[in-house]
Amino acid sequence: MCATCGCAAGELAGHVHSGGTWHEDGTRHEDGTWHENGTRQEHGGHHGGEHGDGEHAHVRTVTLAEKVLARNDALARQNRDWLRERGILALNLMSSPGAGKTTLLERTAAGLAGELVIGVIEGDQETALDADRMRAAGCQVVQVNTGTGCHLDAVMVRGALTKLDPPGGSVVVIENVGNLVCPALFDLGEAHRVVLASVTEGDDKPVKYPHMFRSADLVLVTKTDLLPYLDFDLARCTADLAKISPGATVLPISARAGEGIGEWYDWLRRRC
């Protein structure tokens, strides 16, 4: 299991599908090595007193978590250098499930067709449903299925970038697994983090999940066309975001109705 969040992302088992769907295959050990179709091996064995000793187990878990994140950060730096050398803008798109990430990308691909080349890395536990939608919108896509894992990490993105092979000067959007907790921990090599908060989720999400919103460069408050039907305090949500992440830009937006979509396009153009 992943030492940082309890999911299986540290040792994802999977396989490669045809049509651009990609799974990691095998087991990643603490030393960074992989074994295909194997099981995790404990390097160094068990130490006396480890079982039943909560404090010892906690120390070991924290140490392993630090190792996992340090290895991920090193790979993320390699991804960032790879992207920068090619003049590619990478965005890490994060939200809870159903906040509207894929709908926003469909609208963006149509609205900026002929202006920007957009490639997409789709992260989901299972299926290629979102990848199919993005291909229909005209984007090159690589699907990454994480199985029981709840987030993407830098090694998954590195493999996906190799398969996607985006052209220089393009935009790569990494649509992360729907989750407001674990994806915030993992640098993928992106240039900017974009977090969506849907009005259907309630206006308290920034204060409930501050780490995710604190790491954002841009927060999109989505589905604003539904505001007349909901008890959502946009002013309160915006004020909370200003306290939690004072450096982030906040844009209310509706991908379906088009509200705020021009401001989103302008933000994207400026980063390109």
Side-chain angles (χ1 to χ4, degrees), residues 124-205:
D124 277 305
Q125 288 190 324
E126 296 293 345
T127 80
L129 295 174
D130 290 347
D132 291 341
R133 288 172 61 182
M134 293 314 305
R135 288 192 188 95
C139 295
Q140 294 296 315
V141 187
V142 170
Q143 176 74 49
V144 181
N145 288 129
T146 62
T148 57
C150 60
H151 57 83
L152 298 177
D153 64 19
V155 71
M156 300 178 204
V157 170
R158 180 176 62 182
L161 285 170
T162 300
K163 292 181 179 297
L164 187 64
D165 192 23
S170 63
V171 178
V172 172
V173 180
I174 304 163
E175 185 176 348
N176 219 315
V177 179
N179 184 346
L180 282 177
V181 182
C182 303
L185 296 174
F186 288 82
D187 183 5
L188 306 179
E190 70 273 10
H192 299 286
R193 289 186 165 193
V194 180
V195 179
L196 277 62
S198 168
V199 299
T200 57
E201 301 172 68
D203 52 25
D204 57 359
K205 291 303 172 288

Side-chain angles (χ1 to χ4, degrees), residues 85-268:
E85 289 169 1
R86 290 159 177 79
I88 298 169
L89 174 68
L91 304 179
N92 187 357
L93 196 63
M94 297 180 284
S95 76
S96 60
K101 296 189 299 297
T102 308
T103 300
L104 175 68
L105 290 182
E106 287 177 316
R107 177 87 186 225
T108 303
L112 298 180
E115 182 178 348
L116 296 179
V117 176
I118 300 175
V120 180
I121 297 172
E122 283 287 352
D124 277 305
Q125 288 190 324
E126 296 293 345
T127 80
L129 295 174
D130 290 347
D132 291 341
R133 288 172 61 182
M134 293 314 305
R135 288 192 188 95
C139 295
Q140 294 296 315
V141 187
V142 170
Q143 176 74 49
V144 181
N145 288 129
T146 62
T148 57
C150 60
H151 57 83
L152 298 177
D153 64 19
V155 71
M156 300 178 204
V157 170
R158 180 176 62 182
L161 285 170
T162 300
K163 292 181 179 297
L164 187 64
D165 192 23
S170 63
V171 178
V172 172
V173 180
I174 304 163
E175 185 176 348
N176 219 315
V177 179
N179 184 346
L180 282 177
V181 182
C182 303
L185 296 174
F186 288 82
D187 183 5
L188 306 179
E190 70 273 10
H192 299 286
R193 289 186 165 193
V194 180
V195 179
L196 277 62
S198 168
V199 299
T200 57
E201 301 172 68
D203 52 25
D204 57 359
K205 291 303 172 288
V207 295
K208 283 187 172 182
Y209 301 92
H211 187 72
M212 171 61 78
F213 290 93
R214 189 175 295 123
S215 70
D217 298 296
L218 173 66
V219 177
L220 298 176
V221 181
T222 62
K223 305 186 182 182
T224 54
D225 55 308
L226 299 178
L227 279 173
Y229 313 102
L230 300 169
D231 183 17
F232 183 96
D233 190 334
L234 182 59
R236 172 189 168 183
C237 182
T238 302
D240 288 339
L241 286 166
K243 295 175 184 177
I244 293 167
S245 184
T249 300
V250 180
L251 292 177
I253 191 171
S254 169
R256 291 199 180 276
E259 298 169 5
I261 202 74
E263 288 83 353
W264 155 244
Y265 291 168
D266 288 342
W267 184 93
L268 190 55

